[in-house]
Amino acid sequence: MVARSPAARHAVQVHGLGGLGARLAAAVRAARARADAAGQPVLAWTAARIEPIDPVALFRWAHAGGHNPILWAQPADGRSLVGLEPAWRFSASGPQRFALAREAWRALVSTVEPAAVDHAATEWGGAPVVMGGFAFDADGPVGPQWEGFEAAELVLPRVLAATSEAGQYVLASCVVRPGDPGEEDAGDALATMALVDDLLRAELACGGQVGAATAPEGETAAARAAACEELTPAQTWKALARDAAEAVRRGELAKVVVARAVAVRGVRFDAAPILRRLWADYPTCTLFAVARGGRCFLGATPERLAAVRGRAVRAMGLAGSAPRGASEEEDRRLGDALLASTKDRIEHTLVVDVVREALAHDCTSVWSAPSPSLLKVSNVQHLHTPIVATPRDGATLLDLVGRLHPTPAVGGVPRDAALAWLRRHEGLDRGWYAGTVGWIDGRGDGEFAVAIRCALLGGREAVLFSGCGIVADSDPEAEYAESRLKLRPMLSALGANGTA
Protein backbone atom coordinates (compact mmCIF):
# COMPACT_ATOMS: atom_id res chain seq x y z
CA MET A 1 0.00 0.00 0.00
CA VAL A 2 1.38 3.41 -1.01
CA ALA A 3 0.53 6.63 0.82
CA ARG A 4 -0.69 9.46 -1.41
CA SER A 5 1.09 12.77 -1.60
CA PRO A 6 -0.89 15.76 -0.23
CA ALA A 7 -1.51 16.93 -3.79
CA ALA A 8 -2.80 13.53 -4.90
CA ARG A 9 -5.00 13.21 -1.80
CA HIS A 10 -6.42 16.66 -2.49
CA ALA A 11 -7.20 15.66 -6.09
CA VAL A 12 -9.18 12.66 -4.89
CA GLN A 13 -11.03 14.70 -2.29
CA VAL A 14 -12.05 17.25 -4.91
CA HIS A 15 -13.69 14.48 -6.90
CA GLY A 16 -15.61 13.16 -3.93
CA LEU A 17 -13.89 10.07 -2.56
CA GLY A 18 -12.47 12.02 0.35
CA GLY A 19 -16.00 13.03 1.43
CA LEU A 20 -17.51 9.60 1.03
CA GLY A 21 -17.01 8.67 4.67
CA ALA A 22 -18.88 11.75 5.90
CA ARG A 23 -21.85 11.03 3.63
CA LEU A 24 -21.88 7.39 4.67
CA ALA A 25 -21.88 8.49 8.32
CA ALA A 26 -24.98 10.59 7.65
CA ALA A 27 -26.66 7.65 5.89
CA VAL A 28 -25.78 5.39 8.85
CA ARG A 29 -27.35 7.79 11.35
CA ALA A 30 -30.58 7.89 9.34
CA ALA A 31 -30.56 4.11 8.89
CA ARG A 32 -30.00 3.51 12.61
CA ALA A 33 -33.19 5.35 13.48
CA ARG A 34 -35.15 3.28 10.97
CA ALA A 35 -33.53 0.03 12.13
CA ASP A 36 -34.42 0.69 15.76
CA ALA A 37 -37.98 1.69 14.84
CA ALA A 38 -38.56 -1.31 12.56
CA GLY A 39 -36.60 -3.84 14.63
CA GLN A 40 -34.74 -5.13 11.55
CA PRO A 41 -31.48 -4.46 9.69
CA VAL A 42 -31.42 -1.49 7.31
CA LEU A 43 -29.11 -0.88 4.37
CA ALA A 44 -27.18 2.40 4.41
CA TRP A 45 -25.23 3.44 1.32
CA THR A 46 -23.97 6.38 -0.66
CA ALA A 47 -21.85 7.12 -3.73
CA ALA A 48 -19.24 9.57 -4.95
CA ARG A 49 -18.05 10.54 -8.42
CA ILE A 50 -14.33 9.93 -8.85
CA GLU A 51 -11.53 10.03 -11.34
CA PRO A 52 -11.19 6.68 -13.19
CA ILE A 53 -9.68 3.84 -11.17
CA ASP A 54 -7.95 1.00 -13.03
CA PRO A 55 -10.21 -1.96 -12.17
CA VAL A 56 -7.44 -4.54 -12.57
CA ALA A 57 -5.10 -2.56 -10.31
CA LEU A 58 -7.90 -2.26 -7.76
CA PHE A 59 -8.61 -5.99 -7.95
CA ARG A 60 -4.92 -6.78 -7.41
CA TRP A 61 -4.65 -4.38 -4.46
CA ALA A 62 -7.80 -5.78 -2.87
CA HIS A 63 -6.79 -9.41 -3.41
CA ALA A 64 -3.37 -8.80 -1.87
CA GLY A 65 -5.09 -7.13 1.09
CA GLY A 66 -7.44 -10.05 1.72
CA HIS A 67 -10.58 -8.14 0.70
CA ASN A 68 -11.97 -10.97 -1.49
CA PRO A 69 -12.73 -8.75 -4.50
CA ILE A 70 -15.13 -9.52 -7.36
CA LEU A 71 -14.53 -8.04 -10.82
CA TRP A 72 -16.94 -7.75 -13.74
CA ALA A 73 -15.92 -5.89 -16.90
CA GLN A 74 -16.97 -5.42 -20.50
CA PRO A 75 -13.96 -3.60 -21.99
CA ALA A 76 -15.50 -2.83 -25.39
CA ASP A 77 -18.41 -1.03 -23.69
CA GLY A 78 -16.24 0.74 -21.12
CA ARG A 79 -18.10 -0.87 -18.22
CA SER A 80 -16.61 -2.38 -15.08
CA LEU A 81 -17.47 -3.20 -11.47
CA VAL A 82 -15.05 -4.13 -8.70
CA GLY A 83 -16.52 -5.00 -5.31
CA LEU A 84 -14.53 -5.27 -2.08
CA GLU A 85 -15.55 -7.22 1.06
CA PRO A 86 -19.11 -8.17 1.97
CA ALA A 87 -21.25 -5.67 3.84
CA TRP A 88 -23.99 -8.27 3.36
CA ARG A 89 -23.75 -11.81 2.05
CA PHE A 90 -26.32 -14.40 1.07
CA SER A 91 -25.60 -18.03 0.31
CA ALA A 92 -27.79 -21.05 -0.36
CA SER A 93 -27.86 -24.45 -2.01
CA GLY A 94 -30.45 -26.72 -3.52
CA PRO A 95 -33.08 -26.27 -6.23
CA GLN A 96 -34.59 -23.11 -4.69
CA ARG A 97 -31.32 -21.19 -4.54
CA PHE A 98 -32.29 -18.62 -7.21
CA ALA A 99 -35.66 -17.87 -5.60
CA LEU A 100 -34.08 -17.63 -2.15
CA ALA A 101 -31.44 -15.23 -3.47
CA ARG A 102 -34.12 -13.09 -5.13
CA GLU A 103 -36.16 -12.82 -1.93
CA ALA A 104 -33.13 -12.08 0.26
CA TRP A 105 -31.96 -9.23 -1.98
CA ARG A 106 -35.48 -7.87 -2.40
CA ALA A 107 -35.94 -7.78 1.38
CA LEU A 108 -32.67 -5.91 1.95
CA VAL A 109 -33.30 -3.36 -0.83
CA SER A 110 -36.76 -2.67 0.60
CA THR A 111 -35.12 -1.22 3.71
CA VAL A 112 -33.58 1.65 1.74
CA GLU A 113 -35.67 4.78 2.12
CA PRO A 114 -35.58 6.78 -1.15
CA ALA A 115 -35.69 10.07 0.74
CA ALA A 116 -32.49 9.09 2.56
CA VAL A 117 -30.48 8.60 -0.66
CA ASP A 118 -28.20 11.60 -1.15
CA HIS A 119 -27.57 13.54 -4.34
CA ALA A 120 -24.38 11.72 -5.32
CA ALA A 121 -26.08 8.34 -4.96
CA THR A 122 -29.04 9.57 -7.01
CA GLU A 123 -26.65 10.83 -9.69
CA TRP A 124 -25.11 7.34 -9.87
CA GLY A 125 -28.52 5.84 -10.49
CA GLY A 126 -30.12 5.59 -7.09
CA ALA A 127 -29.50 1.89 -6.47
CA PRO A 128 -26.92 -0.23 -4.63
CA VAL A 129 -25.43 -3.27 -6.37
CA VAL A 130 -24.85 -6.90 -5.40
CA MET A 131 -22.43 -9.21 -7.21
CA GLY A 132 -22.08 -12.95 -7.15
CA GLY A 133 -22.51 -16.26 -8.83
CA PHE A 134 -24.13 -19.67 -8.91
CA ALA A 135 -22.46 -23.05 -9.33
CA PHE A 136 -23.17 -25.16 -12.39
CA ASP A 137 -25.11 -27.80 -10.46
CA ALA A 138 -26.48 -27.23 -6.98
CA ASP A 139 -26.46 -31.00 -6.44
CA GLY A 140 -23.28 -31.90 -8.29
CA PRO A 141 -19.89 -32.86 -6.82
CA VAL A 142 -17.79 -30.07 -5.30
CA GLY A 143 -14.22 -30.80 -4.26
CA PRO A 144 -11.97 -28.96 -1.81
CA GLN A 145 -10.53 -26.78 -4.59
CA TRP A 146 -13.88 -24.94 -4.69
CA GLU A 147 -13.92 -24.14 -0.96
CA GLY A 148 -15.55 -20.76 -0.42
CA PHE A 149 -17.49 -20.87 -3.69
CA GLU A 150 -21.05 -21.57 -2.58
CA ALA A 151 -23.79 -23.09 -4.73
CA ALA A 152 -25.41 -19.64 -4.66
CA GLU A 153 -23.84 -16.45 -3.42
CA LEU A 154 -24.71 -12.75 -3.55
CA VAL A 155 -22.44 -10.14 -1.98
CA LEU A 156 -23.19 -6.48 -1.30
CA PRO A 157 -19.67 -4.96 -1.40
CA ARG A 158 -18.62 -2.56 1.34
CA VAL A 159 -16.92 -0.59 -1.42
CA LEU A 160 -17.75 -0.84 -5.12
CA ALA A 161 -15.84 0.97 -7.88
CA ALA A 162 -18.03 1.29 -10.97
CA THR A 163 -17.41 2.62 -14.46
CA SER A 164 -20.33 3.05 -16.85
CA GLU A 165 -21.82 5.54 -19.28
CA ALA A 166 -22.87 7.53 -16.19
CA GLY A 167 -19.21 8.08 -15.26
CA GLN A 168 -16.91 6.71 -12.57
CA TYR A 169 -18.23 6.23 -9.05
CA VAL A 170 -17.40 4.59 -5.76
CA LEU A 171 -20.30 3.19 -3.74
CA ALA A 172 -19.96 2.57 0.00
CA SER A 173 -22.46 0.38 1.87
CA CYS A 174 -23.06 -1.13 5.29
CA VAL A 175 -25.93 -2.85 7.08
CA VAL A 176 -27.14 -1.17 10.28
CA ARG A 177 -28.80 -3.43 12.82
CA PRO A 178 -31.20 -2.60 15.66
CA GLY A 179 -29.35 -1.74 18.84
CA ASP A 180 -26.05 -0.90 17.14
CA PRO A 181 -23.99 1.65 19.08
CA GLY A 182 -24.99 5.24 18.55
CA GLU A 183 -21.69 6.38 17.05
CA GLU A 184 -21.67 6.38 13.26
CA ASP A 185 -18.17 4.88 13.21
CA ALA A 186 -19.09 1.83 15.30
CA GLY A 187 -19.81 -1.73 14.27
CA ASP A 188 -20.31 -2.55 10.62
CA ALA A 189 -20.01 1.09 9.55
CA LEU A 190 -16.51 1.23 10.99
CA ALA A 191 -15.30 -1.58 8.71
CA THR A 192 -16.74 0.11 5.61
CA MET A 193 -15.24 3.49 6.52
CA ALA A 194 -11.85 1.90 7.21
CA LEU A 195 -11.94 0.30 3.76
CA VAL A 196 -12.87 3.65 2.17
CA ASP A 197 -9.92 5.21 3.99
CA ASP A 198 -7.56 2.48 2.73
CA LEU A 199 -8.83 3.00 -0.82
CA LEU A 200 -8.22 6.73 -0.51
CA ARG A 201 -4.56 6.05 0.18
CA ALA A 202 -4.02 3.49 -2.58
CA GLU A 203 -2.38 4.47 -5.88
CA LEU A 204 -4.95 3.10 -8.32
CA ALA A 205 -5.50 5.86 -10.91
CA CYS A 206 -5.65 4.39 -14.41
CA GLY A 207 -4.16 7.31 -16.33
CA GLY A 208 -6.87 6.96 -18.97
CA GLN A 209 -6.03 3.33 -19.86
CA VAL A 210 -8.48 1.38 -17.74
CA GLY A 211 -7.36 -2.23 -17.48
CA ALA A 212 -5.59 -2.16 -20.82
CA ALA A 213 -1.90 -2.38 -19.90
CA THR A 214 -0.17 -5.64 -20.73
CA ALA A 215 1.70 -7.62 -18.12
CA PRO A 216 5.44 -7.09 -17.74
CA GLU A 217 7.49 -9.78 -19.50
CA GLY A 218 8.93 -10.98 -16.20
CA GLU A 219 5.48 -11.93 -14.92
CA THR A 220 4.99 -14.53 -17.67
CA ALA A 221 8.44 -15.97 -18.27
CA ALA A 222 8.15 -18.59 -15.53
CA ALA A 223 4.63 -19.54 -16.59
CA ARG A 224 5.87 -20.54 -20.03
CA ALA A 225 7.85 -23.32 -18.41
CA ALA A 226 4.86 -24.59 -16.42
CA ALA A 227 3.69 -28.15 -17.02
CA CYS A 228 0.22 -28.98 -18.39
CA GLU A 229 -1.60 -32.11 -17.28
CA GLU A 230 -4.92 -33.41 -18.56
CA LEU A 231 -7.00 -34.17 -15.47
CA THR A 232 -9.31 -36.14 -17.73
CA PRO A 233 -6.97 -38.10 -20.03
CA ALA A 234 -7.62 -37.64 -23.74
CA GLN A 235 -8.68 -41.22 -24.44
CA THR A 236 -10.94 -41.28 -21.38
CA TRP A 237 -12.65 -38.08 -22.49
CA LYS A 238 -13.09 -39.28 -26.06
CA ALA A 239 -14.68 -42.47 -24.76
CA LEU A 240 -17.00 -40.35 -22.63
CA ALA A 241 -17.96 -38.28 -25.69
CA ARG A 242 -18.62 -41.51 -27.60
CA ASP A 243 -20.86 -42.79 -24.77
CA ALA A 244 -22.72 -39.49 -24.75
CA ALA A 245 -23.38 -39.68 -28.50
CA GLU A 246 -24.68 -43.23 -28.07
CA ALA A 247 -27.03 -42.04 -25.31
CA VAL A 248 -28.37 -39.43 -27.72
CA ARG A 249 -28.84 -42.01 -30.48
CA ARG A 250 -30.74 -44.24 -28.02
CA GLY A 251 -33.12 -41.35 -27.36
CA GLU A 252 -32.10 -40.86 -23.71
CA LEU A 253 -30.94 -37.31 -24.48
CA ALA A 254 -31.13 -34.78 -27.30
CA LYS A 255 -27.80 -33.21 -26.36
CA VAL A 256 -25.31 -33.25 -23.49
CA VAL A 257 -22.25 -31.07 -22.89
CA VAL A 258 -19.23 -33.07 -21.73
CA ALA A 259 -16.47 -31.07 -20.03
CA ARG A 260 -12.81 -31.70 -19.31
CA ALA A 261 -10.19 -30.04 -17.13
CA VAL A 262 -6.48 -29.31 -17.52
CA ALA A 263 -4.05 -28.34 -14.76
CA VAL A 264 -1.13 -25.96 -15.34
CA ARG A 265 1.44 -26.25 -12.55
CA GLY A 266 4.85 -24.95 -11.57
CA VAL A 267 4.51 -21.23 -10.81
CA ARG A 268 2.52 -19.03 -8.46
CA PHE A 269 -0.18 -17.45 -10.59
CA ASP A 270 -1.14 -13.78 -10.17
CA ALA A 271 -4.64 -12.91 -11.36
CA ALA A 272 -3.83 -9.33 -12.39
CA PRO A 273 -1.50 -9.96 -15.37
CA ILE A 274 -3.84 -12.71 -16.56
CA LEU A 275 -6.77 -10.28 -16.45
CA ARG A 276 -4.76 -7.67 -18.34
CA ARG A 277 -4.02 -10.09 -21.17
CA LEU A 278 -7.66 -11.15 -21.34
CA TRP A 279 -8.68 -7.46 -21.34
CA ALA A 280 -6.37 -6.74 -24.28
CA ASP A 281 -7.10 -9.91 -26.27
CA TYR A 282 -10.85 -10.36 -25.67
CA PRO A 283 -12.37 -6.85 -25.34
CA THR A 284 -15.78 -7.95 -26.66
CA CYS A 285 -16.11 -10.68 -24.02
CA THR A 286 -17.23 -10.29 -20.41
CA LEU A 287 -14.32 -10.54 -17.98
CA PHE A 288 -14.93 -11.83 -14.47
CA ALA A 289 -12.79 -12.64 -11.45
CA VAL A 290 -13.92 -13.85 -8.02
CA ALA A 291 -11.33 -14.12 -5.22
CA ARG A 292 -11.92 -16.35 -2.23
CA GLY A 293 -8.98 -16.52 0.16
CA GLY A 294 -5.99 -17.77 -1.79
CA ARG A 295 -8.06 -18.87 -4.79
CA CYS A 296 -9.37 -16.90 -7.75
CA PHE A 297 -11.88 -17.97 -10.40
CA LEU A 298 -11.54 -15.86 -13.54
CA GLY A 299 -12.24 -15.88 -17.25
CA ALA A 300 -13.39 -14.08 -20.38
CA THR A 301 -16.72 -15.41 -21.56
CA PRO A 302 -18.47 -14.62 -24.85
CA GLU A 303 -21.81 -15.91 -23.57
CA ARG A 304 -24.46 -13.78 -21.90
CA LEU A 305 -27.06 -15.67 -19.90
CA ALA A 306 -29.49 -12.78 -19.37
CA ALA A 307 -29.39 -9.01 -18.98
CA VAL A 308 -32.18 -6.69 -17.83
CA ARG A 309 -32.25 -2.96 -18.37
CA GLY A 310 -35.54 -1.28 -17.64
CA ARG A 311 -38.24 -3.18 -19.49
CA ALA A 312 -35.89 -4.99 -21.86
CA VAL A 313 -34.39 -8.48 -21.52
CA ARG A 314 -31.44 -9.58 -23.63
CA ALA A 315 -30.25 -13.17 -23.95
CA MET A 316 -28.61 -15.28 -26.63
CA GLY A 317 -28.20 -18.68 -28.12
CA LEU A 318 -24.51 -19.55 -28.45
CA ALA A 319 -23.54 -23.02 -29.63
CA GLY A 320 -21.50 -24.38 -32.50
CA SER A 321 -17.82 -23.43 -32.83
CA ALA A 322 -15.02 -23.22 -35.38
CA PRO A 323 -11.49 -21.80 -35.30
CA ARG A 324 -10.56 -18.41 -36.74
CA GLY A 325 -8.62 -18.41 -39.98
CA ALA A 326 -5.03 -17.25 -40.46
CA SER A 327 -6.20 -15.01 -43.32
CA GLU A 328 -9.40 -13.15 -44.08
CA GLU A 329 -10.23 -15.65 -46.82
CA GLU A 330 -9.64 -18.67 -44.58
CA ASP A 331 -11.62 -17.05 -41.76
CA ARG A 332 -14.57 -16.49 -44.07
CA ARG A 333 -14.34 -20.07 -45.37
CA LEU A 334 -14.34 -21.51 -41.84
CA GLY A 335 -17.25 -19.29 -40.86
CA ASP A 336 -19.28 -20.28 -43.91
CA ALA A 337 -18.62 -23.96 -43.16
CA LEU A 338 -19.83 -23.47 -39.59
CA LEU A 339 -23.02 -21.78 -40.81
CA ALA A 340 -23.62 -24.72 -43.17
CA SER A 341 -22.80 -27.47 -40.66
CA THR A 342 -25.83 -29.70 -40.01
CA LYS A 343 -24.40 -30.97 -36.72
CA ASP A 344 -23.69 -27.46 -35.42
CA ARG A 345 -27.04 -26.06 -36.60
CA ILE A 346 -28.90 -28.86 -34.76
CA GLU A 347 -26.93 -28.17 -31.60
CA HIS A 348 -27.52 -24.43 -31.94
CA THR A 349 -31.25 -24.75 -32.60
CA LEU A 350 -31.67 -26.85 -29.45
CA VAL A 351 -30.12 -24.03 -27.41
CA VAL A 352 -32.23 -21.27 -28.99
CA ASP A 353 -35.47 -23.20 -28.57
CA VAL A 354 -34.83 -23.93 -24.89
CA VAL A 355 -33.81 -20.32 -24.13
CA ARG A 356 -36.95 -18.99 -25.84
CA GLU A 357 -39.15 -21.47 -23.94
CA ALA A 358 -37.55 -20.57 -20.60
CA LEU A 359 -37.99 -16.83 -21.18
CA ALA A 360 -41.63 -17.28 -22.17
CA HIS A 361 -42.50 -18.22 -18.57
CA ASP A 362 -41.58 -14.74 -17.29
CA CYS A 363 -41.88 -12.57 -20.40
CA THR A 364 -44.82 -11.29 -22.43
CA SER A 365 -42.98 -11.41 -25.76
CA VAL A 366 -39.88 -13.21 -26.95
CA TRP A 367 -38.11 -12.51 -30.24
CA SER A 368 -35.08 -14.18 -31.76
CA ALA A 369 -33.27 -13.70 -35.05
CA PRO A 370 -34.60 -16.11 -37.71
CA SER A 371 -31.15 -17.60 -38.37
CA PRO A 372 -27.80 -17.53 -36.58
CA SER A 373 -24.93 -15.22 -37.38
CA LEU A 374 -21.25 -15.53 -36.46
CA LEU A 375 -19.87 -14.18 -33.20
CA LYS A 376 -16.10 -13.90 -33.61
CA VAL A 377 -13.53 -13.56 -30.83
CA SER A 378 -9.76 -13.77 -31.14
CA ASN A 379 -9.36 -17.52 -31.51
CA VAL A 380 -12.82 -18.95 -32.23
CA GLN A 381 -16.12 -18.15 -33.93
CA HIS A 382 -19.53 -19.29 -32.75
CA LEU A 383 -23.04 -19.59 -34.09
CA HIS A 384 -24.92 -16.79 -32.34
CA THR A 385 -28.60 -15.88 -32.18
CA PRO A 386 -29.61 -12.73 -30.26
CA ILE A 387 -32.82 -13.00 -28.24
CA VAL A 388 -34.82 -10.11 -26.76
CA ALA A 389 -37.92 -10.14 -24.58
CA THR A 390 -40.18 -8.01 -22.39
CA PRO A 391 -40.47 -9.15 -18.75
CA ARG A 392 -43.86 -9.62 -17.13
CA ASP A 393 -44.71 -7.36 -14.20
CA GLY A 394 -42.91 -8.64 -11.11
CA ALA A 395 -40.45 -10.84 -12.99
CA THR A 396 -36.84 -10.20 -11.94
CA LEU A 397 -33.44 -10.92 -13.43
CA LEU A 398 -32.89 -13.67 -10.86
CA ASP A 399 -36.17 -15.30 -11.95
CA LEU A 400 -34.88 -15.35 -15.52
CA VAL A 401 -31.46 -16.64 -14.50
CA GLY A 402 -33.08 -19.43 -12.51
CA ARG A 403 -35.21 -20.43 -15.51
CA LEU A 404 -32.34 -20.33 -17.98
CA HIS A 405 -29.50 -21.91 -16.04
CA PRO A 406 -27.98 -24.23 -17.08
CA THR A 407 -28.72 -23.66 -20.76
CA PRO A 408 -28.21 -26.47 -23.26
CA ALA A 409 -24.95 -24.72 -24.25
CA VAL A 410 -23.35 -25.98 -21.01
CA GLY A 411 -25.74 -28.68 -19.75
CA GLY A 412 -27.96 -30.48 -22.20
CA VAL A 413 -31.48 -31.34 -23.34
CA PRO A 414 -33.65 -32.40 -21.58
CA ARG A 415 -32.04 -30.50 -18.73
CA ASP A 416 -32.75 -32.86 -15.84
CA ALA A 417 -31.80 -35.97 -17.81
CA ALA A 418 -28.58 -34.33 -19.01
CA LEU A 419 -27.60 -33.26 -15.50
CA ALA A 420 -28.30 -36.73 -14.16
CA TRP A 421 -26.17 -38.25 -16.95
CA LEU A 422 -23.29 -35.87 -16.16
CA ARG A 423 -23.43 -36.67 -12.44
CA ARG A 424 -23.14 -40.39 -13.25
CA HIS A 425 -20.48 -40.20 -15.94
CA GLU A 426 -18.47 -36.98 -16.16
CA GLY A 427 -16.57 -37.24 -12.86
CA LEU A 428 -15.59 -33.55 -12.85
CA ASP A 429 -15.99 -31.06 -10.00
CA ARG A 430 -17.29 -28.22 -12.14
CA GLY A 431 -17.93 -25.89 -9.22
CA TRP A 432 -18.58 -22.45 -10.74
CA TYR A 433 -17.30 -23.49 -14.16
CA ALA A 434 -20.31 -23.38 -16.54
CA GLY A 435 -22.24 -21.72 -13.73
CA THR A 436 -23.20 -18.06 -13.93
CA VAL A 437 -21.62 -14.87 -12.59
CA GLY A 438 -22.93 -11.34 -12.59
CA TRP A 439 -24.61 -8.50 -10.76
CA ILE A 440 -27.99 -6.93 -10.07
CA ASP A 441 -28.90 -3.53 -8.67
CA GLY A 442 -31.70 -2.34 -6.42
CA ARG A 443 -33.86 -1.33 -9.39
CA GLY A 444 -33.67 -4.80 -10.93
CA ASP A 445 -31.21 -3.98 -13.72
CA GLY A 446 -28.20 -6.24 -14.10
CA GLU A 447 -26.54 -8.98 -16.09
CA PHE A 448 -25.35 -12.55 -15.64
CA ALA A 449 -22.98 -14.40 -17.95
CA VAL A 450 -22.15 -18.07 -18.42
CA ALA A 451 -18.81 -18.80 -16.70
CA ILE A 452 -16.84 -20.43 -19.51
CA ARG A 453 -13.35 -19.83 -20.98
CA CYS A 454 -12.10 -19.74 -17.42
CA ALA A 455 -9.63 -21.02 -14.85
CA LEU A 456 -9.46 -21.59 -11.11
CA LEU A 457 -6.17 -20.29 -9.69
CA GLY A 458 -4.80 -21.63 -6.44
CA GLY A 459 -1.19 -21.14 -5.43
CA ARG A 460 1.03 -22.88 -7.99
CA GLU A 461 -1.81 -24.51 -9.89
CA ALA A 462 -4.35 -23.27 -12.40
CA VAL A 463 -7.20 -25.57 -13.45
CA LEU A 464 -8.72 -24.79 -16.85
CA PHE A 465 -12.06 -26.05 -18.16
CA SER A 466 -13.73 -26.56 -21.52
CA GLY A 467 -16.74 -28.48 -22.77
CA CYS A 468 -18.33 -29.60 -26.03
CA GLY A 469 -21.93 -30.25 -26.96
CA ILE A 470 -22.50 -33.85 -27.98
CA VAL A 471 -25.33 -34.81 -30.34
CA ALA A 472 -26.07 -38.00 -32.28
CA ASP A 473 -23.44 -37.60 -35.01
CA SER A 474 -20.68 -36.03 -32.91
CA ASP A 475 -17.20 -37.28 -33.69
CA PRO A 476 -15.07 -37.69 -30.51
CA GLU A 477 -11.86 -36.72 -32.30
CA ALA A 478 -13.39 -33.52 -33.68
CA GLU A 479 -14.96 -32.69 -30.31
CA TYR A 480 -11.61 -33.18 -28.59
CA ALA A 481 -9.98 -30.80 -31.08
CA GLU A 482 -12.72 -28.26 -30.36
CA SER A 483 -12.16 -28.58 -26.62
CA ARG A 484 -8.46 -27.83 -27.13
CA LEU A 485 -9.39 -24.75 -29.17
CA LYS A 486 -11.57 -23.49 -26.32
CA LEU A 487 -8.69 -23.88 -23.85
CA ARG A 488 -6.37 -21.62 -25.82
CA PRO A 489 -7.55 -18.26 -24.45
CA MET A 490 -6.75 -19.21 -20.86
CA LEU A 491 -3.53 -21.05 -21.73
CA SER A 492 -2.36 -17.93 -23.56
CA ALA A 493 -3.45 -15.62 -20.75
CA LEU A 494 -1.54 -17.79 -18.28
CA GLY A 495 1.54 -17.40 -20.46
CA ALA A 496 1.81 -21.17 -20.92
CA ASN A 497 3.29 -22.34 -24.19
CA GLY A 498 1.89 -25.85 -23.92
CA THR A 499 -1.35 -27.12 -25.41
CA ALA A 500 -3.83 -29.52 -23.84
Side-chain angles (χ1 to χ4, degrees):
M1 187 179 299
V2 180
R4 288 185 177 273
S5 67
R9 184 176 292 113
H10 174 70
V12 174
Q13 289 171 338
V14 165
H15 289 281
L17 185 55
L20 194 66
R23 287 202 299 280
L24 182 62
V28 167
R29 287 193 294 271
R32 180 169 293 107
R34 298 200 310 278
D36 289 342
Q40 66 178 23
V42 170
L43 171 58
W45 76 286
T46 187
R49 183 182 283 271
I50 58 168
E51 288 294 305
I53 288 178
D54 179 342
V56 177
L58 175 56
F59 185 91
R60 186 179 214 171
W61 172 83
H63 196 192
H67 299 301
N68 285 338
I70 304 176
L71 176 144
W72 166 280
Q74 294 172 324
D77 296 333
R79 300 174 65 86
S80 66
L81 299 169
V82 184
L84 283 61
E85 285 192 9
W88 172 88
R89 179 176 177 271
F90 169 84
S91 63
S93 60
Q96 297 303 311
R97 56 188 173 144
F98 295 100
L100 293 171
R102 176 199 64 209
E103 292 307 312
W105 176 229
R106 178 180 286 168
L108 184 64
V109 169
S110 71
T111 68
V112 177
E113 185 177 339
V117 177
D118 61 31
H119 173 73
T122 301
E123 187 182 52
W124 150 253
V129 175
V130 287
M131 306 176 73
F134 298 81
F136 169 72
D137 183 359
D139 297 318
V142 177
Q145 70 270 31
W146 288 103
E147 183 179 356
F149 292 85
E150 304 292 343
E153 181 178 67
L154 293 179
V155 170
L156 173 71
R158 291 193 186 281
V159 174
L160 176 76
T163 302
S164 71
E165 66 273 10
Q168 292 76 42
Y169 288 83
V170 165
L171 282 63
S173 304
C174 64
V175 175
V176 179
R177 293 169 175 79
D180 275 356
E183 299 79 10
E184 60 268 13
D185 62 347
D188 199 59
L190 178 61
T192 297
M193 292 178 186
L195 188 53
V196 169
D197 192 54
D198 285 346
L199 184 59
L200 175 64
R201 288 166 170 75
E203 292 285 358
L204 299 167
C206 71
Q209 296 295 318
V210 178
T214 57
E217 182 66 20
E219 292 185 302
T220 64
R224 292 194 180 98
C228 294
E229 177 191 349
E230 292 187 306
L231 299 182
T232 307
Q235 293 308 314
T236 301
W237 191 86
K238 291 174 190 177
L240 185 64
R242 190 175 297 109
D243 291 345
E246 290 175 358
V248 174
R249 288 192 289 271
R250 289 195 300 269
E252 298 172 17
L253 305 165
K255 173 190 174 180
V256 63
V257 179
V258 180
R260 57 189 286 253
V262 172
V264 180
R265 301 188 180 99
V267 298
R268 184 166 294 280
F269 292 102
D270 181 355
I274 297 169
L275 287 169
R276 290 205 186 281
R277 285 188 287 275
L278 292 173
W279 194 295
D281 293 343
Y282 298 91
T284 60
C285 290
T286 295
L287 274 61
F288 61 89
V290 183
R292 291 290 176 270
R295 298 187 179 276
C296 181
F297 178 57
L298 53 73
T301 175
E303 187 171 358
R304 173 189 298 124
L305 184 62
V308 171
R309 190 162 187 175
R311 296 292 298 165
V313 175
R314 292 175 295 146
M316 65 166 63
L318 193 75
S321 307
R324 299 296 305 273
S327 65
E328 185 175 325
E329 180 181 354
E330 183 187 22
D331 196 58
R332 182 168 53 252
R333 178 178 58 78
L334 290 169
D336 289 345
L338 177 61
L339 287 167
S341 166
T342 300
K343 177 263 180 188
D344 289 291
R345 291 293 286 261
I346 290 172
E347 181 185 349
H348 184 81
T349 299
L350 284 170
V351 173
V352 173
D353 289 347
V354 171
V355 170
R356 285 180 52 93
E357 181 182 352
L359 289 175
H361 286 277
D362 294 301
C363 297
T364 58
S365 64
V366 180
W367 175 90
S368 61
S371 59
S373 56
L374 295 174
L375 188 153
K376 298 174 181 274
V377 296
S378 294
N379 72 310
V380 66
Q381 47 194 321
H382 299 283
L383 293 180
H384 166 247
T385 297
I387 302 170
V388 296
T390 302
R392 299 182 190 276
D393 290 343
T396 72
L397 175 57
L398 290 174
D399 291 318
L400 300 175
V401 170
R403 294 274 190 194
L404 290 166
H405 176 74
T407 72
V410 293
V413 181
R415 178 189 294 179
D416 291 345
L419 290 178
W421 192 93
L422 291 171
R423 289 177 198 135
R424 291 195 306 270
H425 300 286
E426 189 177 61
L428 180 65
D429 293 345
R430 289 197 184 193
W432 279 26
Y433 160 66
T436 180
V437 293
W439 61 276
I440 183 170
D441 70 18
R443 298 167 299 185
D445 288 355
E447 182 166 352
F448 279 80
V450 182
I452 55 175
R453 312 297 153 79
C454 56
L456 177 65
L457 311 182
R460 295 182 177 274
E461 179 181 80
V463 179
L464 289 63
F465 305 88
S466 71
C468 294
I470 307 299
V471 292
D473 60 351
S474 291
D475 171 45
E477 292 291 341
E479 299 296 345
Y480 180 73
E482 181 180 318
S483 75
R484 295 180 68 187
L485 177 67
K486 291 174 178 177
L487 287 167
R488 285 183 192 171
M490 287 309 306
L491 282 170
S492 177
L494 290 169
N497 277 337
T499 60

